[in-house]
Amino acid sequence: QKEVEQDPGPLSVPEGAIVSLNCTYSNSAFQYFMWYRQYSRKGPELLMYTYSSGNKEDGRFTAQVDKSSKYISLFIRDSQPSDSATYLCAKGETGAGSYQLTFGKGTKLSVIP
Amino acid sequence: DADVTQTPRNRITKTGKRIMLECSQTKGHDRMYWYRQDPGLGLRLIYYSFDVKDINKGEISDGYSVSRQAQAKFSLSLESAIPNQTALYFCATSVAWDSQETQYFGPGTRLLVL
């Protein structure tokens, strides 16, 4: 079982819709979570970062972590055509000199005008 | 200018050839990474380096080697390319402070092995 599971989609929504993107992960001692956005033919760029349970907001974007159910979500309000991209969730773990960052497969989102 | 650059951006090569992908960064970060991205498989870590003298294997290092020539440069080599190494390759950098580590990705190198 891959450590981070993400539905690859594709997901197509009308402009203005609320988008919900989700990932599940396997347990680990210490972890932090990120959402990256990747436009076509570009490298991923960090969108949201959190390492606690609960919600974190940044403009139209909300990242939610539920550690009890090992579920991470990204909500996009008032979606725009410019939000059309692939969204990658990631789980990170660091410890005494060790490192692991695991990405989900990505969900491709299209926002239709 | 881009903070993380990769050369070449596109490369076509033949089976058995040796090729090198290069990554340079102007962010001053100590940590550098090489990933490959395949449809349906997502991003997978090939190698990573926490500083010039530190090289570590990632999830899929077989068939690859790396060189950290300087803090700002991290090269990925395919000693004898094979078709299943056809993929999109990304270099990334990061700096760790407290417990947070944000990775910054280059634009990618699209590699086709015939």
Side-chain angles (χ1 to χ4, degrees):
Chain A
Q1 180 186 2
K2 192 170 171 59
E3 288 197 40
V4 180
E5 298 285 349
Q6 183 176 10
D7 186 341
L11 182 62
S12 184
V13 302
E15 182 176 355
I18 296 174
V19 177
S20 173
L21 304 170
N22 305 296
C23 291
T24 58
Y25 65 93
S26 60
N27 199 18
S28 57
F30 177 84
Q31 53 214 337
Y32 52 94
F33 306 96
M34 290 159 283
W35 284 95
Y36 279 81
R37 178 175 61 195
Q38 184 177 17
Y39 290 114
S40 180
R41 298 190 174 274
K42 300 285 186 181
E45 57 179 347
L46 183 67
L47 191 61
M48 299 282 285
Y49 178 104
T50 180
Y51 63 106
S52 61
S53 290
N55 294 352
K56 182 176 181 179
E57 283 195 27
D58 185 1
R60 296 185 294 111
F61 299 89
T62 299
Q64 185 177 75
V65 178
D66 183 344
K67 289 190 174 182
S68 61
S69 59
K70 302 184 184 65
Y71 207 77
I72 53 178
S73 301
L74 178 70
F75 298 97
I76 307 174
R77 294 184 298 279
D78 187 24
S79 57
Q80 302 295 309
S82 59
D83 295 328
S84 298
T86 296
Y87 290 81
L88 303 159
C89 61
K91 183 189 76 161
E93 299 171 49
T94 59
S98 68
Y99 160 83
Q100 185 171 359
L101 184 62
T102 306
F103 286 87
K105 295 179 182 180
T107 300
K108 186 173 182 179
L109 171 67
S110 295
V111 181
I112 311 302
Chain B
D1 288 342
D3 294 321
V4 184
T5 58
Q6 293 183 233
T7 56
R9 294 294 312 277
N10 296 278
R11 177 74 184 268
I12 300 174
T13 191
K14 294 182 178 180
T15 297
K17 295 291 188 181
R18 181 182 187 276
I19 65 165
M20 179 182 290
L21 309 182
E22 299 187 356
C23 177
S24 295
Q25 52 113 348
T26 58
K27 300 185 76 68
H29 289 172
D30 290 327
R31 301 183 174 193
M32 299 186 74
Y33 313 84
W34 275 104
Y35 291 89
R36 65 177 282 177
Q37 188 175 39
D38 301 89
L41 295 177
L43 276 167
R44 292 181 293 167
L45 183 64
I46 304 172
Y47 270 96
Y48 62 101
S49 170
F50 279 3
D51 63 44
V52 175
K53 297 180 181 180
D54 177 76
I55 302 289
N56 303 281
K57 292 183 177 180
E59 180 185 352
I60 52 164
S61 58
D62 288 347
Y64 302 94
S65 62
V66 292
S67 172
R68 184 81 183 267
Q69 301 95 322
Q71 185 201 39
K73 295 184 181 297
F74 193 35
S75 300
L76 177 72
S77 294
L78 286 67
E79 296 299 326
S80 180
I82 56 176
N84 77 358
Q85 291 177 313
T86 292
L88 186 55
Y89 289 85
F90 287 104
C91 173
T93 73
S94 72
V95 58
W97 51 273
D98 294 333
S99 301
Q100 178 176 338
E101 181 162 344
T102 301
Q103 295 197 5
Y104 299 87
F105 285 81
T109 294
R110 195 170 293 274
L111 176 66
L112 173 61
V113 182
L114 300 174

